[in-house]
């Protein structure tokens, strides 16, 4: 499933194509939305942003198109007269000035009034979005101290969208690696220095992945990995996907483990489980 940085980058592309433009044509596959399609024609697209792994296309009449890609959804941009060649099922198409944004394969799509978004069953449960909202390290530290989070293992907690929205499997591994923390540790176990580093890493690694199209590794380590002929799926990360390879920091062998039924990678030397 795409994580927050990937959805934010997709939103940026759609915003660049549609923002400020008036819709000439709108098509929805879902019957409950199809009857509203014509009411969006002639309406301007004001903005496209994200909340975690959900995308929000905001219209000038204060309606908002919510979509969640889940496992298989994907947005494609194209000329109005040249739709993509794909076997995927078209769910949404928004067209303006000869260009279109089409959503394929996603099933979680709905239209909301902006004032009602707080009652959305998914959005209402989310923590703050690190890429579309102003979130500081202090904000994240306060959330880590919250009673509902402070005694949970970091390996599970970092996938809980109520903490902060948009984190996923590769970000979890990378955040813990750069924080030098074992996934079984809990916020309550951490020193103030460790807690600060974790909060900084949650923000910094997410923004790095967004800026660098999913690359979270450091430049010097990338050079080493490329020189060692590692494929991109490995050199783009500091630890994720690197089981059996040397830790960039200490030279120990990166290990793979399962946490919450999902794979996680760590350095057994750099990320010791403190007593």
């Amino acid at each position: 499933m795409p994580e927050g940085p990937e959805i934010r980058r997709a939103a940026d592309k759609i915003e660049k194509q549609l923002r400020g433009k008036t819709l000439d044509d709108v098509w929805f596959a879902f019957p409950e939305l199809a009857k509203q399609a014509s009411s969006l024609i002639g309406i301007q697209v004001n903005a496209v942003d994200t909340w975690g792994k959900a995308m929000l296309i905001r219209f000038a009449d204060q309606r908002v198109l919510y979509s969640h890609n889940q496992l298989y959804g994907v947005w494609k941009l194209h000329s109005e007269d040249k739709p993509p060649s794909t076997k995927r099922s078209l769910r949404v198409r928004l067209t303006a000035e000869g260009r279109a944004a089409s959503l394929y394969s996603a099933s979680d799509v709905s239209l909301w009034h902006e004032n009602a978004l707080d009652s959305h069953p998914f959005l209402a449960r989310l923590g703050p979005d690190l890429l579309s909202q102003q979130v500081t390290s202090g904000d994240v530290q306060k959330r880590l101290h919250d009673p509902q989070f402070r005694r949970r293992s970091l390996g599970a907690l970092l996938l809980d969208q109520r903490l902060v929205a948009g984190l996923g499997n590769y970000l979890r591994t990378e955040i813990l690696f750069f924080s030098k923390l074992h996934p079984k540790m809990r916020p309550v176990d951490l020193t103030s220095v460790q807690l600060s580093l974790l909060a900084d890493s949650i923000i910094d690694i997410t923004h790095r992945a967004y800026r660098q199209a999913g690359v979270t590794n450091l430049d010097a380590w990338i050079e080493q990995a490329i020189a060692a002929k590692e494929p991109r799926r490995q050199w783009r990360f500091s630890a994720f996907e690197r089981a059996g390879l040397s830790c960039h920091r200490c030279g120990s062998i990166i290990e793979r483990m399962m946490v919450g039924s999902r794979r996680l990678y760590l350095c057994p030397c750099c990320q010791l489980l403190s007593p």
Side-chain angles (χ1 to χ4, degrees), residues 25-60:
D25 191 39
V26 177
W27 185 89
F28 295 118
F30 308 102
E32 63 273 20
L33 291 178
K35 57 189 177 185
Q36 300 183 66
S38 61
S39 68
L40 284 169
I41 295 175
I43 303 298
Q44 181 175 287
V45 177
N46 274 0
V48 183
D49 58 35
T50 58
W51 196 339
K53 302 174 186 180
M55 187 178 297
L56 304 172
I57 301 179
R58 301 179 183 273
F59 304 108

Side-chain angles (χ1 to χ4, degrees), residues 91-251:
R91 304 301 193 191
V92 176
R93 177 161 290 161
L94 306 176
T95 304
E97 298 181 13
R99 299 286 298 172
S102 297
L103 175 60
Y104 292 89
S105 301
S107 59
D108 190 3
V109 183
S110 51
L111 196 60
W112 293 73
H113 190 278
E114 187 173 284
N115 293 336
L117 279 179
D118 287 345
S119 63
H120 188 283
F122 176 69
L123 298 179
R125 301 196 304 268
L126 295 182
D129 183 277
L130 299 174
L131 297 171
S132 293
Q133 301 172 20
Q134 296 297 318
V135 183
T136 68
S137 178
D139 295 331
V140 176
Q141 288 184 58
K142 288 179 182 178
R143 298 190 68 75
L144 290 166
H145 273 302
D146 190 290
Q148 66 177 316
F149 302 132
R150 64 195 306 263
R151 295 188 180 276
R152 294 183 57 194
S153 69
L154 294 175
L157 180 57
L158 290 178
L159 294 185
D160 189 335
Q161 301 299 294
R162 295 174 299 175
L163 177 67
V164 293
L167 300 186
N169 214 31
Y170 83 82
L171 287 174
R172 171 180 68 167
T173 285
E174 297 295 281
I175 289 166
L176 289 173
F177 178 81
F178 280 104
S179 302
K180 300 183 180 181
L181 296 174
H182 192 280
K184 290 185 179 180
M185 297 179 75
R186 307 169 300 169
V188 72
D189 301 324
L190 305 182
T191 67
S192 59
V193 173
Q194 288 175 315
L195 197 68
S196 177
L197 178 58
L198 174 60
D200 288 345
S201 294
I202 288 172
I203 294 174
D204 294 345
I205 302 304
T206 301
H207 278 266
R208 187 185 304 164
Y210 165 64
R211 292 192 309 269
Q212 301 181 170
V215 176
T216 54
N217 206 355
L218 302 180
D219 290 344
W221 291 349
I222 289 174
E223 290 180 10
Q224 294 174 5
I226 292 176
K229 301 190 183 305
E230 291 183 23
R232 184 182 187 278
R233 70 178 181 84
Q234 291 176 328
W235 63 247
R236 62 182 280 207
F237 301 120
S238 63
F240 192 76
E241 292 278 22
R242 301 193 73 252
L245 298 175
S246 297
C247 170
H248 289 301
R249 222 170 12 216
C250 74

